[in-house]
Each structure stands twice: as C-alpha cells, then as structure tokens.
Amino acid sequence: MHPSLNIAIRAARSAGKLLLRYVDRVDTLRVESKSRNDFVSEIDRHAEALIIQELRARFPDHAILAEESGAQGRGDYQWVIDPLDGTTNYLHGFPQFSVSIALRYKGQLECGVVYDPLREELFSAARGQGAQLNDRKVRVGKRPSLDGALIGTGFPFRNLRHIDTYLGMFKDMTLATAGLRRPGSAALDLAYVAAGRTDGFWELGLSQWDCAAGALLIMEAGGTVSDLGGGKRYLETGNLVAGNLKVHRAMLDLLRPHLNAQLKA
C-alpha cells in the first residue's frame, strides 16, 4: 500500500470516531453560518484539526488545503481535506456524511480516502494501484448508456445564479435515466460511482476538498472524470462529470446543450 495512504486512512478513521461521538447530540454543538445555507460546526473544526495533527506528525513539510482552515504551507506535496462532507446532513441527523482526504504531488492526485463512519465503509485508492472498499477491489459499473442508469448529483444550495440551467439539466437527465439521487455528500457520491453503486455523477460548483479523493477513486476504479467541457480542469472549475467511459460521454452529450458562457469549463 502507498505509505501516505496508510496515514490518510488512520487520520480519516480518527476523524470518523470523533464525528460519531457527537452524532446523537448535535444540539450541543456550536454552529455558525459561513454563507447562505453553508454551515460549520465546532465538530468540523475539531475533526479537521485532528486530521492535520496526524498528517503533520508524519509529514511536517507537506502543504495543507483544508475546508475550514484554508491553505497552509507550500511545497510539491499538498493534502486536500474535508473533515465533514455533508455538514447539513450531519446537523439534521440525516445519515449521509463522510471524511475526505487526498494527497497531491505537483498537482497530480496520488492517494485518496473517503470514509463513511456510520457504515464503517472506507473507500481508498492510490495512483496506479486501483480502488478499494474496505478490503476488496471495486470497479465502476458496466452500463453502456444512460438507459436504465442511476445517476447521482448535487443541487445548488449556496449560489443559485445558475439554478435555471441546473433545473434544465435535471429534467433532461431524469427523462434519460432510471433516476437521480442527491444524498448530500459529494465525496460519498463519487465513491459510490467508483464502487458501481451509481452509474455516474455530475455537480456544479464543488470545492477541491469535496471531490479530490472521490475523483481519484473513480479513475482508479476504471472510470472517467472531467469538467463539463470534457477537459481535466474539474478541480479548478468545481464543475464535474464522472462515470464509466460510455456513461460519461453520454452525460456530457446531454449536459452540453445547457452550458452557457458562464458555465463553460
């Protein structure tokens, strides 16, 4: 196993234990609003600090990009951390949230972990070594088209400037598939594509910490990840489409007519 992946797994499990400690008493947590419909609780910050502490103990010179504390340090190696992806779910007692940790070297994703502490499901991947769910290898699904496909997505909730464009995408994707799912944790949504539980995923306006680990999982599971233009700038633009090669291509073809100059990636 990639040596950095072991450390990431350990850090994700430690953060997951902390999240579970408060999952039934979220009413005791201090919660702040970062922006419209975007919340942070003290548990987000504590989990992030715990992850950074574990990573720093082993890799003191590595840079950090974390959701709550931002960018720290500079260097070829950078850890990208979301300590609680699905904070709104967590605060409402909705059982879909995760810890996401990825490592980049000179901008290239090297390893990634998405951990669901409620189900004790740990999705992990290292570049060139495939993707795993706990101790078994996973692969993206084999569906050849959108017909009968189950597709994951995320609804815009902060910036609603492109809501009409998104609703058009949502309508056409619904008509072309067996159904859409929006559980509320993009990191887990991407992990589910890697494991073949859903056939594809798309979302607009993601942050790097939402999708870095999940993107590597999908690629190592044999899938394809791109921005809405079919390029590789999804971490920069936050607009992402993923699936196996055929589903991914079909999703791009369906979504492309809805793009405008503001959304083009």
Side-chain angles (χ1 to χ4, degrees):
M1 183 180 290
H2 194 293
S4 299
L5 185 57
N6 276 324
I7 306 302
I9 288 172
R10 186 185 311 163
R13 289 193 184 278
S14 295
K17 287 179 183 177
L18 180 62
L19 297 179
L20 290 181
R21 197 177 306 159
Y22 288 90
V23 73
D24 291 324
R25 45 195 176 106
V26 295
D27 57 311
T28 67
L29 298 173
R30 292 191 305 273
V31 180
E32 301 170 20
S33 177
K34 294 189 286 187
S35 61
R36 184 184 187 277
N37 294 332
D38 192 6
F39 304 100
V40 59
S41 74
E42 59 184 309
I43 200 68
D44 295 71
R45 294 193 172 106
H46 289 169
E48 182 173 291
L50 181 61
I51 292 169
I52 292 173
Q53 180 182 6
E54 295 219 15
L55 297 178
R56 287 270 191 235
R58 179 63 179 83
F59 307 109
D61 298 327
H62 286 192
I64 299 285
L65 177 62
E67 178 174 14
E68 308 308 335
S69 56
Q72 305 171 35
R74 299 179 66 180
D76 290 339
Y77 288 96
Q78 183 188 56
W79 291 95
V80 184
I81 302 164
D82 192 339
L84 174 52
D85 186 50
T87 298
T88 300
N89 283 352
Y90 184 86
L91 295 176
H92 283 78
F94 190 88
Q96 189 81 355
F97 55 86
S98 62
V99 180
S100 177
I101 304 172
L103 175 65
R104 289 192 292 204
Y105 176 67
K106 294 184 177 180
Q108 181 171 254
L109 292 167
E110 290 291 319
C111 68
V113 175
V114 175
Y115 180 48
D116 178 351
L118 280 175
R119 299 174 181 84
E120 295 188 2
E121 290 189 332
L122 189 136
F123 302 84
S124 63
R127 187 168 63 90
Q129 297 180 23
Q132 291 186 308
L133 167 52
N134 294 336
D135 294 323
R136 66 178 179 85
K137 291 278 189 180
V138 292
R139 298 286 293 176
V140 295
K142 298 179 180 180
R143 192 166 297 278
S145 70
L146 289 178
D147 185 28
L150 184 64
I151 303 296
T153 190
F155 300 152
F157 63 96
R158 286 187 294 258
N159 185 346
L160 302 182
R161 185 163 50 115
H162 302 302
I163 186 66
D164 290 336
T165 298
Y166 181 80
L167 289 174
M169 294 176 172
F170 183 87
K171 176 182 177 181
D172 284 356
M173 195 69 74
T174 299
L175 293 172
T177 65
L180 304 185
R181 296 292 182 268
R182 198 280 190 186
S185 170
L188 269 184
D189 291 337
L190 293 167
Y192 281 12
V193 175
R197 293 176 177 176
T198 53
D199 298 296
F201 175 83
W202 98 96
E203 188 167 350
L204 314 180
L206 292 168
S207 298
Q208 295 184 46
W209 45 79
D210 296 322
C211 56
L216 182 63
L217 284 168
I218 291 172
M219 290 185 287
E220 288 297 321
T224 301
V225 184
S226 77
D227 54 42
L228 291 174
K232 296 301 180 184
R233 296 180 58 240
Y234 52 89
L235 291 179
E236 301 170 50
T237 66
N239 303 329
L240 181 148
V241 183
N244 70 33
L245 184 62
K246 292 180 179 179
V247 168
H248 174 265
R249 186 182 298 121
M251 291 178 70
L252 285 179
D253 289 344
L254 185 146
L255 295 171
R256 192 171 286 119
H258 296 279
L259 299 183
N260 55 39
Q262 290 177 309
L263 280 176
K264 279 188 177 179

